Amino acid sequence: MDLNSTNEENGAEYVEVDIEHLDSVSEALIDYHSSEGDHFAKDFYSRGDHGHSELDADNSSITFNEDELKSLNLSGSRCSSCSSLVGTGMEPNLDNLPPELFYYICTFIDSRFLSETLAYVCSLFFRLIRDEETWRIRMKYRWRQPYILPPRSRYRYHCFQSYLQREETHKMWDNPEKTTDHFHVTDNYAAIDCVHLMDTGDRLLCATGSRDRSLKVYDLSKFDPTKKSAEVANEARVLDWSAHDGWVWCLASKENLLSSGSWDKNIRIFDLNREGECIHSIKTKTAVISLKFSDFIISAGFDKKVTLYDPRTYESVMTLGRHSMPVLAVEYDGTHLVSASEDKKVCVFDLRGNKQPLVQLDMEKYVMCLSMEFGQLWMGDRQGAVHLVDCNRGLFAKVSSGAAHDGKLTDIAHSLGCVATCSTDNSIKIWEPSSFGGRQYLIRQLKVSSLPVTSLALNVRHQVFMAGVTDMSFHVWRPKSEYNSSIN
């Protein structure tokens, strides 16, 4: 691999930098002062002059000419760690490449490859690529509209993960006909009210709960885009139970355990490592409308209460009752539990303290669905509006609201890259995470049925999206194999 190769065209000298084998160039590197990285990144992105270099058709190299280097003002004299590259006769090499030019080259390379491969070539690349300020500037340059509320995990702003997920979201949804395999599977004879994605580590499973009382699990690795719906269902179906005597309304999982809640007033726990054996059944007082499975098995329903069960003994350990009408949704982040009810109240409980609400939010319309992670609480109400709440430091302060659908908002899910919503208006919408602070930024709208969409599931690791519909079917969007290989 020749990183110093040059060619001449019309008397101009060009420098060709091979990016296919960047993982083998560590021997050509010298030690830069890491503090120079921020200076060059800020200066480069603030200029936004990215229109002159050429990327070969096979994406194997990037070519710059001397005039372009000069126009970008990439002279090595600007960095005390580098000698001048232009006008001195020195051949540009990775051992004298300014960080500014390195960042420019990186704009042509997939972010996941940068982080998971190129960053580990040498300590220099690791410092430059993994610097949080680099990704904050890069995100600001690409997406002018910032997050309304910066996503946080334990109060730390993850700029790189935020950028990566936003980039991959756009890659997947800007042109889904090209980048995704869409599966439309009909395997029930009644409406599907809940869908769920389970990442067991070695495989990704999807589960559905239906009004025909059945609970079905499918292996997504066996979904073949060349086959019809019935064939896909038959080949990918792992388990099929008549799990309950009433509608299966909600699903939750932890590791290999899958739990289901039903209108028959039962919560059932199935072990997928034991061929789906039902290892326990918890009898509740009323129909189970919402279910979560983490440190506790958490259920809510028509008894106007939230009940927590110990997953080791399946005994009730706590009951929270602060609502005057049925509880429609619950969320739990390991510390705070949030419940939303038809009484138009959203209550937040700190499970480290007493049973009194830490915060109570009064809403104009009652909230039907919740999604809480990264210090954000997203809520969807019966009028089709979305609300964002700041969860950091226990504040739970309402930040913004905005209309999303024309019908009831039946489910909501979010990641660092998007907010997904579905509604009784028969649509699914993928939003920018910066939406609902004024102007809405819609990435993609999906019309999959003439009937209401009931539920959503999102898996960021595998870039898989799932939806259940009352027309007795479910839909799965998965990256195409060639696209998937480019982002993994």
Side-chain angles (χ1 to χ4, degrees), residues 6-188:
T6 61
N7 55 61
E8 294 188 2
E9 183 177 322
N10 299 325
E13 183 177 5
Y14 285 78
V15 179
E16 186 173 285
V17 182
D18 189 343
I19 65 173
E20 183 180 2
H21 302 95
L22 279 174
D23 57 347
S24 62
V25 302
S26 57
E27 295 180 358
L29 298 169
I30 64 171
D31 185 26
Y32 287 96
H33 295 305
S34 60
S35 61
E36 295 291 331
D38 286 350
H39 163 73
F40 286 111
K42 292 174 183 175
D43 184 66
F44 173 69
Y45 283 106
S46 64
R47 288 203 314 273
D49 190 3
H50 308 299
H52 302 289
S53 66
E54 297 179 2
L55 187 63
D56 286 357
D58 61 358
N59 294 330
S60 62
S61 63
I62 302 170
T63 303
F64 308 86
N65 66 29
E66 183 173 332
D67 291 336
E68 289 172 350
L69 291 176
K70 288 179 177 178
S71 69
L72 287 170
N73 197 20
L74 294 178
S75 169
S77 63
R78 299 182 60 210
C79 175
S80 61
S81 302
C82 308
S83 58
S84 176
L85 299 180
V86 181
T88 64
M90 291 185 61
E91 295 181 339
N93 200 317
L94 284 177
D95 64 357
N96 58 22
L97 192 68
E100 186 176 24
L101 182 55
F102 175 80
Y103 282 125
Y104 185 27
I105 294 172
C106 287
T107 62
F108 296 90
I109 305 175
D110 182 81
S111 297
R112 186 174 290 276
F113 175 82
L114 286 177
S115 174
E116 297 181 356
T117 303
L118 188 59
Y120 293 96
V121 168
C122 62
S123 59
L124 169 64
F125 282 11
F126 187 88
R127 289 196 302 270
L128 293 178
I129 292 173
R130 283 305 186 98
D131 179 62
E132 287 285 289
E133 185 65 20
T134 299
W135 294 100
R136 183 180 287 107
I137 297 168
R138 184 166 174 165
M139 181 152 50
K140 184 177 181 180
Y141 170 78
R142 180 164 181 180
W143 292 288
R144 300 296 184 184
Q145 183 73 7
Y147 283 99
I148 305 169
L149 176 65
R152 297 178 182 272
S153 179
R154 295 186 179 180
Y155 314 126
R156 184 169 176 265
Y157 187 9
H158 289 271
C159 295
F160 165 69
Q161 286 297 331
S162 299
Y163 183 92
L164 176 63
Q165 289 188 30
R166 291 185 79 171
E167 180 180 81
E168 292 187 344
T169 296
H170 277 272
K171 282 185 178 180
M172 183 170 179
W173 293 113
D174 283 348
N175 189 5
E177 293 79 11
K178 178 182 178 180
T179 58
T180 67
D181 288 324
H182 175 205
F183 301 92
H184 179 200
V185 181
T186 302
D187 197 28
N188 293 82

Side-chain angles (χ1 to χ4, degrees), residues 294-296 331-337 350-352 372:
S294 54
D295 299 336
F296 304 96
E331 272 290 352
Y332 177 61
D333 67 358
T335 301
H336 298 100
L337 186 148
D350 187 339
L351 297 189
R352 299 169 298 182
M372 181 166 64

Side-chain angles (χ1 to χ4, degrees), residues 207-235:
T208 64
S210 171
R211 297 186 189 185
D212 61 16
R213 281 73 168 167
S214 70
L215 173 59
K216 299 182 180 183
V217 178
Y218 306 86
D219 186 343
L220 283 172
S221 66
K222 297 180 180 179
F223 275 40
D224 187 341
T226 66
K227 296 185 177 180
K228 296 181 180 180
S229 171
E231 293 178 288
V232 169
N234 290 332
E235 293 184 7

